[in-house]
């Protein structure tokens, strides 16, 4: 477990509820403080821009927080989340991608497509995302400052 992470905020639209609930269970068991921002009902339609907005709001001001967003494709929540200057979200389908995106781009939000990966792979992606460091090289910091 990465002890520098203050909280893991997690939110999903109706298509990502099952994956979200599984991740909450697994990440809590791994020792992370997980904050569930909803939705918990797969039968209640929720718009993915609203899900991303609630996560961005919760993470605002906490540089040590991480976020996980889930929708059917993972693309919608990623696009919506990246509207916020303090969010750097990336859609990942495998742990290697999650590790590389943390290392090179210091992503602070993992976006997952519930329709595209199974829950075990989603957990591996989340675990890798939370445990992987950022490179901190001057050139990477310079690039991130240009988008933040």
């Amino acid at each position: 477990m990465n002890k520098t992470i203050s909280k893991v905020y997690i939110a999903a639209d109706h298509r990502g509820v099952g994956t979200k609930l599984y991740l909450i269970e697994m990440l809590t068991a791994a020792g992370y403080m997980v904050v569930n921002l909803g939705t918990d009902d797969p039968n209640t339609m929720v718009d993915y821009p609203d899900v991303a907005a609630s996560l961005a709001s919760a993470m605002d001001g906490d540089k040590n927080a991480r976020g996980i967003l889930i929708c059917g494709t993972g693309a919608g929540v990623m696009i919506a989340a990246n509207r916020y200057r303090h969010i750097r979200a990336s859609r990942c389908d495998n742990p290697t991608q999650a590790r590389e995106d943390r290392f090179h781009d210091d992503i602070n939000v993992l976006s997952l497509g519930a329709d595209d990966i199974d829950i075990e792979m989603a957990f591996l992606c989340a675990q890798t995302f939370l445990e992987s460091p950022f490179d901190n090289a001057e050139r990477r910091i310079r690039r991130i400052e240009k988008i933040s």
Side-chain angles (χ1 to χ4, degrees), residues 13-18 21 39-46:
D13 72 359
H14 53 284
R15 288 170 60 191
V17 170
L21 294 175
T39 189
D40 294 326
D41 183 357
N43 298 314
T44 301
M45 188 172 296
V46 177

Side-chain angles (χ1 to χ4, degrees), residues 2-55:
N2 184 338
K3 297 195 186 279
T4 63
I5 297 174
S6 60
K7 292 178 187 158
V8 179
Y9 294 97
I10 188 167
D13 72 359
H14 53 284
R15 288 170 60 191
V17 170
T19 301
K20 180 186 65 101
L21 294 175
Y22 179 77
L23 291 179
I24 290 170
E25 178 184 338
M26 298 300 288
L27 294 173
T28 301
Y32 288 99
M33 176 184 272
V34 181
V35 179
N36 181 357
L37 299 174
T39 189
D40 294 326
D41 183 357
N43 298 314
T44 301
M45 188 172 296
V46 177
D47 293 335
Y48 64 83
D50 298 333
V51 169
S54 69
L55 185 127

Side-chain angles (χ1 to χ4, degrees), residues 55-132:
L55 185 127
S57 177
M59 288 182 63
D60 195 16
D62 187 352
K63 293 186 184 290
N64 294 321
R66 295 284 192 284
I68 300 173
L69 287 169
I70 309 159
C71 69
T73 66
V77 288
M78 179 195 70
I79 293 165
N82 280 323
R83 294 179 40 211
Y84 301 90
R85 294 191 63 78
H86 64 287
I87 300 295
R88 292 173 308 282
S90 180
R91 180 186 182 276
C92 298
D93 294 327
N94 62 69
T96 300
Q97 187 179 18
R99 181 176 43 258
E100 291 295 306
D101 290 358
R102 276 285 308 136
F103 187 81
H104 293 283
D105 302 311
D106 195 24
I107 65 167
N108 58 0
V109 173
L110 175 69
S111 174
L112 298 168
D115 295 347
D116 298 329
I117 60 175
D118 62 38
I119 57 175
E120 290 87 8
M121 182 58 73
F123 174 66
L124 290 174
C125 289
Q127 186 177 40
T128 302
F129 160 69
L130 295 171
E131 294 174 0
S132 295

Side-chain angles (χ1 to χ4, degrees), residues 127-145:
Q127 186 177 40
T128 302
F129 160 69
L130 295 171
E131 294 174 0
S132 295
F134 172 54
D135 178 32
N136 258 337
E138 184 274 330
R139 71 184 185 280
R140 300 194 199 290
I141 293 169
R142 181 182 69 242
R143 293 168 186 158
I144 289 168
E145 287 173 349

